[in-house]
Amino acid sequence: MKLDDIKKLHQKKYRAEFGYFLVEGEHLLLELQKAALQNPLLQSSQLYVTGAYEHWQSPFETHVINDRQMAQIADTKTPQGIIALVPMPTAAAQAAAPANNERAIYLHEIQDPGNLGTILRTLAWFGNFRCLLSPGSVDPYNPKVVRSSMGAIFHTPMELDVELDSLRTRFERIACLDMNGDSLQSPSFKTFDCYLFGNEARGVPREQLLSLNAQPFTIPGCGAIESLNLATTVNMCAYELNR
């Protein structure tokens, strides 16, 4: 791929058109290489490095470029000098059969890249979670999401553009977070197939929650503020499900 085209991958429409996204920096490259050992799709990634990294041990096809060219394709202001061109999973790969006892985390119109990256990082830490993203959610291959995931994007199964109404036929039991519900520490919290979380500002439309027959749960607190950060909420729920 030409460097001019690689630079375009900072925009979602070109990531969708070319089927690739960018991964930048040593830590993310190490996580990519680790994940590629188990994922054949990732093995076709390509590496772009400056002279400082030309001896980097990698299974990927490697291209050495100069500092000016690296600055052209990098998203960060002071690039480390190592970037990978990574193929995006196909829709069929995203919809692969879930693993045994895998739980689904559904995010409805999540907007903040840092929130999504943090959530993916938590799900990868605990394992056995699948992340479902609704239409209108932030692109998980956005460079800010990729960086904040710290490599978790390679280890957490994801499905994009999953309609909220589709959950009704896909999952028998759905739980959601609400200010008025059973305690998160209730034994029944661990018995659901899918856990639904809403947009940072708007949550999930009440009528759709009712149509899904979602069981509400709440995180007990003193109520001094209106709500918790979305990523914090998902993190606490993931911990409780694995406690």
Side-chain angles (χ1 to χ4, degrees), residues 206-224:
R206 180 63 57 179
E207 61 274 12
Q208 288 183 283
L209 278 179
L210 292 174
S211 70
L212 292 171
N213 196 28
Q215 177 68 36
F217 288 87
T218 190
I219 299 173
C222 68

Side-chain angles (χ1 to χ4, degrees), residues 98-241:
N100 290 334
N101 301 317
E102 183 181 81
R103 290 185 171 102
I105 299 294
Y106 184 90
L107 304 177
H108 178 68
E109 296 182 358
I110 183 173
Q111 297 298 302
D112 186 273
N115 274 343
L116 179 54
T118 300
I119 289 169
L120 292 174
R121 192 173 176 183
T122 296
L123 301 185
W125 174 262
F126 288 112
N128 219 29
F129 283 105
R130 174 176 295 266
C131 184
L132 311 180
L133 292 168
S134 76
S137 294
V138 63
D139 181 11
Y141 302 106
N142 176 315
K144 293 180 180 178
V145 177
V146 175
R147 284 198 299 272
S148 61
S149 80
M150 295 297 286
I153 194 167
F154 306 123
H155 303 290
T156 304
M158 287 190 298
E159 295 179 32
L160 312 186
D161 296 323
V162 178
E163 295 287 350
L164 183 59
D165 291 342
S166 72
L167 303 184
R168 186 185 302 109
T169 55
R170 183 168 174 179
F171 301 103
E172 291 185 9
R173 308 188 73 229
I174 301 171
C176 66
L177 269 288
D178 193 89
M179 294 298 290
N180 299 304
D182 295 336
S183 170
L184 203 68
Q185 296 174 328
S186 167
S188 64
F189 181 66
K190 298 184 178 183
T191 65
F192 292 81
D193 309 306
C194 178
Y195 296 82
L196 170 61
F197 299 86
N199 170 270
E200 290 93 338
R202 302 184 304 275
V204 180
R206 180 63 57 179
E207 61 274 12
Q208 288 183 283
L209 278 179
L210 292 174
S211 70
L212 292 171
N213 196 28
Q215 177 68 36
F217 288 87
T218 190
I219 299 173
C222 68
I225 59 173
E226 182 179 346
S227 62
L228 285 170
N229 167 269
L230 174 61
T232 300
T233 300
V234 177
N235 295 350
M236 294 174 71
C237 291
Y239 172 78
E240 187 64 30
L241 290 170

Side-chain angles (χ1 to χ4, degrees), residues 3 34 42 51 53 138 146 189:
L3 292 183
K34 185 192 306 181
L42 297 179
Y53 285 94
V138 63
V146 175
F189 181 66

